[in-house]
Amino acid sequence: MGSGFDYGNKLISVEQALSKIKSDDCIVCALGAAEPNGLLDQLHTIAPRVTNVAVSTCLPMRPFKWFMDPAMRGHIEHHAWFYSAGIRKAAAEARTSFYVPNHLHSAAMDRVLFRKPTVFIGTCTPPDRFGYVSLAFSVVYERELMDAADIVILEINEQVPYVWGDTVIHIDQVDYLVEHSSAPFELPAPETEERDRKIGSFIAEHIEDGSTMQLGIGGIPNAVAGELLHKKDLAIHTEMLTDGMVDLFEAGVIARAPRSLDKGIMRGKMVAAFALGTKKLYDFLEHNPGLALMRGSWVNNPYVIARNHKQVSINTTLEVDLTGQVCSESIGHRQYSGTGGQSDTAIGAQMSEGGKSFIALYSTAEVKQPDGTRKTASKIAPMLASGAAVTLHRANVDFVVTEYGAVRLRGAPVNERARRLISIAHPDFRAGLQEEAEKLGYI
């Protein structure tokens, strides 16, 4: 692997790297596409010789054996900031994975308070001639937890992009390096449905030229990005950088020389905490001076977000009750995904001058019944399901959007909130919701 800087004194094998891990260690792994595949593919092999090892991740891209195999219990315990399908299965069946409640901007600090990390593992580019590497895809929590860890191990992968921002470190900050070449994991954008496009158009109607955008993940945010192609002078300050934002940049929607745009902070830069998407996005990241990945503790700090001009936050949810409580992470008591930065960005946007926050959801979903059959249920409900986590407090909810329209709850009393939410529920459920609202004394 070519490099202008000699790092041979730090270079070890995967096996040697794993030998550094001992019982009672607390390992933190880089997020998403920044995860070190060589180390994670073999991490389960340490189980016979260790006990009580904790591994913290966010968005692991594959169902690795060290958290999917029930035999790991007592040896390796997985602490997840966000659940995927594989982790949901591991939590329910293998009992090896457990959710860590968090707000993204404070995830790193909270982890240190709970249990000091002893080992950090991640990915980086080959060093340049001065010895600097880029952490490539994420600095959501990585920099703080690298600083807190006793040992830092990075995989050098020449297939990951060199990305500017808080990603750039010197290899003097790294204890050990492992060479492992692999194509970074790609997350294709999901296909948008007709109801995605309807929701996207309702949201886009409220977005003004010159706004600063944050978009979440999924079909609805992708549809919103498609609806923004006719806007002008938009800026990006977002938790996650996606393929849709590349499309906006290439279409000239993102202001590249913002003379008239008061973004507020880092004018002329697309700002994010991590990037996840396809090769199109990863090629866009490579040595791009027009973007910067910055620490999540800064990007997602509501007070930082509030300094932007017309900050817009767009996130999705699973369920909303008639008073405006939002559950975006669980189905009843069962953890489904995670809080992520939803509260961070929703609150920060509303603190921004001219800012707006949108919570989007489909009006209905198919729900599995105890007898195995499925029935259609309204996702605007009189009350949240028993045990549901409140991801966004009702006092922090601004717009709620379904395929039947967009309503603003901010500042509205409960009776008006209920009326407005019923108006965007599926027509088949509106009468029932009206009746329940009257029984509960909301109307």
Side-chain angles (χ1 to χ4, degrees):
M1 201 175 286
S3 170
F5 195 88
D6 183 15
Y7 53 87
N9 61 327
K10 294 177 181 283
L11 190 61
I12 58 175
S13 66
V14 169
E15 293 73 22
Q16 288 172 317
L18 293 175
S19 73
K20 308 294 180 185
I21 300 169
K22 58 188 185 301
S23 293
D24 301 316
D25 268 343
C26 176
I27 304 169
V28 175
C29 175
L31 177 149
E35 64 189 13
N37 289 309
L39 292 169
L40 294 183
D41 279 339
Q42 299 300 318
L43 184 58
H44 65 278
T45 64
I46 71 170
R49 64 172 181 81
V50 299
T51 58
N52 194 38
V53 170
V55 183
S56 294
T57 73
C58 189
L59 295 176
M61 296 289 97
R62 290 187 288 136
F64 294 101
K65 186 174 181 179
W66 54 267
F67 67 79
M68 295 299 296
D69 187 346
M72 297 295 112
R73 270 184 290 185
H75 301 279
I76 302 174
E77 184 171 281
H78 181 210
H79 297 166
W81 278 299
F82 202 92
Y83 270 23
S84 61
I87 299 173
R88 290 193 290 271
K89 183 178 174 67
E93 299 176 12
R95 302 293 295 160
T96 53
S97 292
F98 299 89
Y99 179 65
V100 181
N102 71 99
H103 293 303
L104 183 140
H105 83 274
S106 60
M109 178 185 70
D110 292 346
R111 187 61 186 176
V112 174
L113 287 173
F114 168 68
R115 188 173 177 184
K116 180 186 178 298
T118 53
V119 181
F120 177 89
I121 57 175
T123 300
C124 68
T125 62
D128 65 17
R129 64 192 180 96
F130 302 107
Y132 288 94
V133 300
S134 172
L135 301 176
F137 297 112
S138 176
V139 276
V140 168
Y141 51 76
E142 286 81 352
R143 290 296 303 270
E144 288 90 347
L145 295 178
M146 287 174 66
D147 290 343
D150 298 326
I151 299 174
V152 174
I153 304 171
L154 296 183
E155 280 188 6
I156 295 178
N157 185 356
E158 87 283 358
Q159 296 190 54
V160 301
Y162 198 108
V163 185
W164 297 110
D166 287 335
T167 50
V168 178
I169 65 168
H170 197 275
I171 64 169
D172 285 350
Q173 296 168 256
V174 182
D175 296 293
Y176 300 104
L177 294 163
V178 174
E179 291 184 337
H180 181 81
S181 179
S182 62
F185 185 91
E186 295 185 44
L187 183 67
E191 292 294 323
T192 56
E193 305 176 15
E194 177 60 26
R195 56 183 177 172
D196 294 326
R197 291 186 285 274
K198 286 182 178 179
I199 291 171
S201 66
F202 286 131
I203 293 174
E205 288 175 10
H206 295 278
I207 296 175
E208 304 169 48
D209 291 343
S211 294
T212 304
M213 302 302 303
Q214 177 269 324
L215 292 168
I217 186 172
I220 293 173
N222 288 336
V224 173
E227 294 292 333
L228 296 178
L229 290 170
H230 65 282
K231 301 291 182 179
K232 298 177 182 177
D233 289 335
L234 298 185
I236 299 294
H237 184 112
T238 187
E239 174 185 324
M240 176 179 172
L241 199 67
T242 65
D243 284 60
M245 296 174 189
V246 178
D247 294 338
L248 293 174
F249 181 87
E250 292 178 344
V253 175
I254 305 300
R256 303 176 190 182
R259 297 191 188 101
S260 61
L261 172 64
D262 181 16
K263 179 175 181 284
I265 50 178
M266 296 194 72
R267 289 165 60 98
K269 296 279 188 185
M270 299 173 69
V271 175
F274 75 102
L276 184 59
T278 68
K279 188 174 185 300
K280 177 175 75 173
L281 172 64
Y282 300 158
D283 289 344
F284 181 76
L285 297 175
E286 180 67 43
H287 278 99
N288 188 336
L291 61 85
L293 295 190
M294 307 298 289
R295 297 173 191 239
S297 57
W298 182 83
V299 171
N300 269 49
N301 184 322
Y303 291 97
V304 172
I305 294 169
R307 291 164 56 194
N308 285 319
H309 182 61
K310 296 181 182 178
Q311 177 75 51
V312 174
S313 168
I314 301 168
N315 291 294
T316 57
T317 192
L318 298 171
E319 188 177 30
V320 178
D321 79 7
L322 288 178
T323 72
Q325 292 190 110
V326 169
C327 173
S328 305
E329 61 189 270
S330 72
I331 298 175
H333 70 280
R334 292 182 293 111
Q335 193 68 35
Y336 184 81
S337 55
T339 303
Q342 185 165 119
S343 296
D344 296 342
T345 59
I347 293 170
Q350 292 173 63
M351 292 165 60
S352 163
E353 183 179 354
K356 298 170 184 175
S357 166
F358 297 87
I359 296 294
L361 74 164
Y362 301 141
S363 64
T364 61
E366 294 296 312
V367 179
K368 188 176 182 180
Q369 302 301 297
D371 63 3
T373 61
R374 305 183 75 84
K375 79 170 191 176
T376 302
S378 174
K379 301 313 291 177
I380 293 176
M383 294 181 288
L384 297 181
S386 176
V390 177
T391 306
L392 190 62
H393 191 282
R394 59 189 179 178
N396 298 130
V397 177
D398 192 5
F399 286 88
V400 177
V401 190
T402 72
E403 67 269 33
Y404 291 100
V407 293
R408 197 165 203 177
L409 304 188
R410 189 175 179 182
V414 166
N415 60 339
E416 186 58 29
R417 286 169 174 244
R419 291 189 188 100
R420 293 183 183 187
L421 287 167
I422 291 169
S423 76
I424 62 169
H426 191 284
D428 292 349
F429 292 93
R430 290 177 191 171
L433 289 170
Q434 177 75 22
E435 183 179 343
E436 288 298 316
E438 290 172 2
K439 286 180 182 178
L440 291 166
Y442 293 159
I443 295 177

